[in-house]
Amino acid sequence: MAAHDINLPYVPTWCAGCGDYGIFMALKKAMTSLNLDLEQTVLATGIGCSSKIGQYMNTYRIETLHGRSLPVATGVKLANHNLTVIAEGGDGDGMGLGMGHFVHTARRNIDITYFIHNNQIYGLTKGQSSPTSDLGAVTKFTPAPLGNVEHPINIVKMALNVGATFVARAFVGNSTQLVSLMEQAISHPGFAVIDILQPCVSFNHTNTYQWYQQRVKPIEEMEGYDPADLEKALTFAGLWGEQIPIGLYYQTLRPTFQDSLPQLSHQPLAKQKIDNIDITNLMQKLY
């Protein structure tokens, strides 16, 4: 399979320079490198600029409601855990309405991969502050002099604290690392999260490509780095500002949700026989 096999004949409508282009290219490279079977791969997205990515990829895909990519991805995976299931969405989509789903998907360790396009703003709806906007961020909806007065959610810290078993942060301007992390995340048996930092060239004029390039630093070059050490990962996750570590923060293995339940572990629901199940009594009660 080549990267162009994943393309559909639709032209992306993202703004010129949008970080979504870089994530789109990186995902195609990662899927090609892993030689994923497109007929055995499902992409679930929410709503927003980021979630348009599903409209441009030649694989099975579901564009769900805002903030609902993870429960839909969970349903797909539990119905047929032989599938490769990838969820995508933005910081507003995943950390706003989707926050509850994020927490419970992580603690259950559902075997899916979640790529979060984090531009620290709601882009599709023209520039409101999002759950990850910096304190004091000035937008058209959080004007000066105070700007945003709500403390931002740190996606990496959140993922580590609620039990995700693969947690990474990437910068879309470092394509080589992003592709590598995507490959590792998709291959990881359990809930894998990558917080992908990307500029919104139209509505976030603070967190630009240059702003990130001056701050991001490979986490493996930092003193004491150990991706098996949760406490150390939490310490690195707290760094934001002059230094922003990018790379694999933490990885561990523990049983996935489907492997923990006997009714799911021996065979996917989609392949289990149902011709010996009589639901007549149940239907009579419902009727």
Side-chain angles (χ1 to χ4, degrees):
M1 180 179 72
H4 61 75
D5 293 326
I6 306 175
N7 286 335
L8 287 174
Y10 307 117
V11 177
T13 58
W14 296 312
C15 302
C18 175
D20 286 327
Y21 285 103
I23 298 174
F24 180 41
M25 294 301 297
L27 179 58
K28 289 193 293 183
K29 288 181 179 178
M31 292 174 64
T32 303
S33 174
L34 295 172
N35 198 28
L36 294 184
D37 183 345
L38 297 181
E39 294 189 353
Q40 296 295 311
T41 302
V42 178
L43 182 63
T45 68
I47 296 293
C49 293
S50 56
S51 294
K52 289 182 177 181
I53 195 169
Q55 300 172 10
Y56 311 132
M57 303 198 69
N58 182 26
T59 187
Y60 286 101
R61 59 197 184 277
I62 306 172
E63 194 163 354
T64 72
L65 300 174
H66 194 247
R68 299 296 187 266
S69 61
L70 288 179
V72 172
T74 295
V76 172
K77 189 66 182 183
L78 295 187
N80 188 351
H81 46 258
N82 291 331
L83 298 174
T84 298
V85 181
I86 300 170
E88 296 217 25
D91 47 292
D93 181 87
M95 296 295 108
L97 282 175
M99 174 54 79
H101 302 302
F102 180 75
V103 170
H104 295 296
T105 306
R107 73 183 183 86
R108 291 169 182 148
N109 198 30
I110 308 288
D111 183 20
I112 60 180
T113 307
Y114 190 26
F115 298 137
I116 305 175
H117 304 216
N118 184 4
N119 59 14
Q120 299 178 262
I121 206 159
Y122 284 100
L124 189 67
T125 47
K126 313 303 182 190
Q128 300 98 326
S129 57
S130 85
T132 62
S133 294
D134 288 328
L135 193 65
V138 174
T139 73
K140 63 176 68 175
F141 299 96
T142 53
L146 293 178
N148 177 39
V149 298
E150 298 178 338
H151 283 261
I153 290 172
N154 183 317
I155 295 175
V156 170
K157 263 191 174 180
M158 177 65 68
L160 292 168
N161 277 311
V162 296
T165 50
F166 181 104
V167 181
R169 175 176 281 146
F171 169 49
V172 72
N174 186 336
S175 179
T176 301
Q177 185 193 53
L178 176 56
V179 172
S180 174
L181 289 171
M182 284 181 161
E183 293 169 357
Q184 295 174 61
I186 294 171
S187 303
H188 174 76
F191 187 52
V193 180
I194 302 182
D195 173 23
I196 306 174
L197 306 175
Q198 64 153 108
C200 173
V201 295
S202 294
F203 299 107
N204 186 342
H205 300 298
T206 298
N207 307 111
T208 62
Y209 286 99
Q210 184 179 24
W211 189 92
Y212 283 119
Q213 286 163 347
Q214 292 172 346
R215 290 165 173 79
V216 295
K217 180 177 181 179
I219 192 170
E220 63 269 21
E221 295 179 3
M222 305 185 84
E223 185 177 354
Y225 171 65
D226 179 1
D229 187 334
L230 178 60
E231 292 302 319
K232 198 68 181 178
L234 283 164
T235 299
F236 284 127
L239 296 177
W240 183 268
E242 295 306 312
Q243 287 191 98
I244 303 175
I246 53 173
L248 174 61
Y249 278 67
Y250 180 68
Q251 184 174 20
T252 190
L253 294 176
R254 63 180 169 87
T256 63
F257 185 77
Q258 60 267 28
D259 289 338
S260 301
L261 294 176
Q263 61 268 45
L264 294 174
S265 61
H266 74 286
Q267 194 174 42
L269 290 175
K271 294 188 176 180
Q272 293 186 25
K273 291 185 177 181
I274 59 172
D275 54 359
N276 61 343
I277 298 175
D278 185 357
I279 61 171
T280 303
N281 290 337
L282 174 63
M283 295 305 294
Q284 288 175 340
K285 287 180 180 179
L286 293 174
Y287 183 75

